[in-house]
Amino acid sequence: MRPILRLVFALALFIGSQSAVAQSDLIDGQVMKVDQSAGKITIKHGPAKRLGMESSMTMVYKVQDPAMLKAIKAGNKIKFDAEQVNGQYTVTKIENAR
Ligand SMILES: [Cu+2]
């Protein structure tokens, strides 16, 4: 392999592994319902060990800021992060999955 090709290949591998790490930080889910005025969202999602959820479920989350729901519609596939705030599961990050 020519040195320049080897470099491009190594770079592609590096970038690929970086985005794989970033993606695994977020939980995959699907939006069932959005209630922007109440700042709540119903999400169906797979196991999220970090949140103590061992199996798939559908549940209501609060959102940190109702503005986060502007681009989020029922039926959308999403990636999100959540944490417990005052005993309530609260979405801290949400984005539409591509
Ligand atoms: Cu859950």
Side-chain angles (χ1 to χ4, degrees):
M1 206 185 275
R2 290 200 314 204
I4 185 70
L5 278 180
R6 198 176 300 164
L7 182 68
V8 167
F9 190 64
L11 201 63
L13 271 182
F14 175 75
I15 291 167
S17 64
Q18 292 295 298
S19 61
V21 168
Q23 278 172 6
S24 67
D25 284 336
L26 297 173
I27 304 158
D28 289 306
Q30 186 174 13
V31 180
M32 300 279 96
K33 193 180 158 195
V34 176
D35 188 341
Q36 193 173 353
S37 57
K40 286 182 177 172
I41 183 169
T42 308
I43 303 172
K44 181 178 167 186
H45 67 83
K49 295 234 165 77
R50 193 153 37 90
L51 298 175
M53 301 172 188
E54 299 285 335
S55 52
S56 303
M57 66 185 78
T58 299
M59 60 183 276
V60 178
Y61 286 86
K62 260 188 71 146
V63 287
Q64 217 167 36
D65 177 1
M68 291 164 72
L69 298 177
K70 268 185 189 159
I72 308 295
K73 305 261 181 290
N76 284 14
K77 295 252 201 282
I78 51 154
K79 288 182 178 292
F80 72 102
D81 199 9
E83 58 187 58
Q84 267 188 299
V85 180
N86 300 325
Q88 273 192 309
Y89 287 106
T90 305
V91 173
T92 55
K93 192 176 175 189
I94 189 166
E95 62 189 45
N96 286 304
R98 275 164 290 163

